[in-house]
Amino acid sequence: METVLITGVSGFLGRYIARLFFEKGGIVVGISSSSFENAPTTSLKIYRSLKLPDPRFADVLKEYSPTLCIHCAGRASVGASVEEPDADFYTNTALTFEVLNTLRLHAPFCKFIFLSSAAVYRNPQHLPISEDQPIAPLSPYGFHKFQCEQLCLEFSKVYELRTASVRIFSAYGPGLRRQVLWDICQKALTQPLICLQGTGRESRDFIHALDVAKALLVIADKAPMNGEAYNLGSGEETRIDCLASLVINSLNLDTEPVFSGVVPVGTPLNWKANISKISNLGFNPSVPLERGVKIFANWCQAELIGY
């Protein structure tokens, strides 16, 4: 039975990943600075309240001898990285180094999957975006994510750790309380006008958090893990004005969004992932966007209004 260590387990993606690996029979050791409400109490799932970097992390590795580490911890805000690049650096680049180096010293046979971001790509030269397109981030967040990828490659090539990075595009699902889908939903439910940033013609590639977790299962089982990176999206491009329409229809509202025309600093214009590399390992997205948005909108309604 595989022992999986997940940093940032109480975060949005960490929760989905922990639950799926637990359901597949793994022993899950979660590292988090905050509590994990409604965590399974069975002995197969173990949680430690720990804020990394922490010297006790080495003790956890010695105690559980994990065979896989999925690194979800770190800041995940482009805007915050522009305002506070130092904090973003220490919670992404520096923290990833600390985790990798501790694995090198105390669990050298543990595989390592890093959750990177499509923010490494800037505005792509063409769509869909493949992994070999130039890396040219627009934000400190994107730069720091790429620095973390390079650390994964370094520890793979120099110390023979088995590592891989996953460039996640726009992940969503119940539990997400930030980014564009949450912004649309909460404004649709609580405000007379849905006022959104940008023009509405910007596009993203949305992937459900459950599919993110499923993709990590595939990578852990099938990938060579030599420091390589994989795009993780649906392979479909969705304009933000179309996304807003899906939300409005899901909530049975009679309204139209209003766009400011101003694109925030650090925000790319259009994204669509080429997912052939990860598909060749056997991964295929399973949650259609229309169904995923409907489920998300219903969850958001229950959260904000109570029904």
Side-chain angles (χ1 to χ4, degrees):
M1 186 176 293
E2 185 170 47
T3 300
V4 182
L5 187 149
I6 302 173
T7 69
V9 73
S10 63
F12 168 58
L13 288 177
R15 291 169 180 256
Y16 279 87
I17 294 164
R19 290 193 180 100
L20 183 62
F21 275 82
F22 172 72
E23 290 168 1
K24 296 298 181 180
I27 298 173
V28 177
V29 180
I31 302 295
S32 177
S33 60
S34 58
S35 63
F36 190 143
E37 297 176 0
N38 303 319
T41 57
T42 169
S43 61
L44 292 181
K45 206 161 189 178
I46 306 162
Y47 292 89
R48 295 267 183 143
S49 183
L50 203 69
K51 183 176 181 179
L52 297 175
D54 189 306
R56 292 175 295 166
F57 181 53
D59 297 331
V60 174
L61 295 178
K62 294 173 187 176
E63 181 176 354
Y64 294 106
S65 299
T67 52
L68 173 66
C69 175
I70 301 175
H71 186 39
C72 305
R75 283 195 169 195
S77 171
V78 168
S81 79
V82 174
E83 295 295 325
E84 299 178 312
D86 52 343
D88 193 85
F89 174 82
Y90 284 107
T91 55
N92 280 308
T93 306
L95 178 57
T96 299
F97 173 84
E98 293 289 347
V99 172
L100 283 165
N101 198 46
T102 308
L103 286 173
R104 174 183 73 87
L105 295 172
H106 301 288
F109 300 107
C110 180
K111 293 179 286 187
F112 180 83
I113 300 177
F114 170 65
L115 269 57
S116 186
S117 169
V120 302
Y121 286 122
R122 195 182 180 94
N123 289 312
Q125 296 175 343
H126 56 81
L127 297 177
I129 307 167
S130 61
E131 290 86 352
D132 58 3
Q133 283 204 37
I135 300 299
L138 288 169
S139 65
Y141 173 72
F143 276 103
H144 297 154
K145 284 294 187 181
F146 184 61
Q147 289 169 5
C148 293
E149 291 186 16
Q150 292 298 102
L151 286 170
C152 291
L153 183 61
E154 171 191 338
F155 276 80
S156 177
K157 298 304 181 185
V158 179
Y159 302 109
E160 298 185 345
L161 282 182
R162 297 187 64 190
T163 70
S165 298
V166 183
R167 294 171 181 167
I168 301 171
F169 280 64
S170 296
Y172 75 100
L176 180 67
R177 294 177 175 86
R178 55 185 172 81
Q179 299 180 358
V180 64
L181 187 54
W182 166 261
D183 189 42
I184 295 170
C185 281
Q186 63 95 10
K187 287 177 178 177
L189 290 165
T190 64
Q191 299 181 17
L193 289 176
I194 306 174
C195 299
L196 304 173
Q197 296 178 321
T199 66
R201 297 186 297 275
E202 297 80 21
S203 63
R204 293 292 180 266
D205 185 329
F206 292 93
I207 182 165
H208 197 278
L210 180 58
D211 280 327
V212 172
K214 290 178 178 178
L216 300 185
L217 276 173
V218 173
I219 290 172
D221 184 46
K222 301 288 183 62
M225 302 195 74
N226 293 322
E228 73 275 12
Y230 298 90
N231 284 341
L232 182 50
S234 66
E236 298 181 0
E237 182 183 8
T238 301
R239 281 177 40 150
I240 301 305
D241 54 3
C242 294
L243 180 70
S245 295
L246 284 178
V247 171
I248 291 166
N249 292 337
S250 296
L251 295 171
N252 296 313
L253 299 176
D254 184 16
T255 185
E256 293 289 338
V258 176
F259 291 92
S260 69
V262 179
V263 178
V265 175
T267 303
L269 299 178
N270 301 104
W271 274 350
K272 177 183 178 181
N274 180 331
I275 59 171
S276 59
K277 187 174 179 179
I278 196 169
S279 295
N280 288 337
L281 297 178
F283 169 74
N284 289 295
S286 62
V287 182
L289 182 61
E290 186 172 354
R291 178 160 64 90
V293 168
K294 177 68 175 177
I295 294 169
F296 183 87
N298 289 341
W299 167 81
C300 191
Q301 187 172 46
E303 286 287 300
L304 294 173
I305 300 179
Y307 63 85

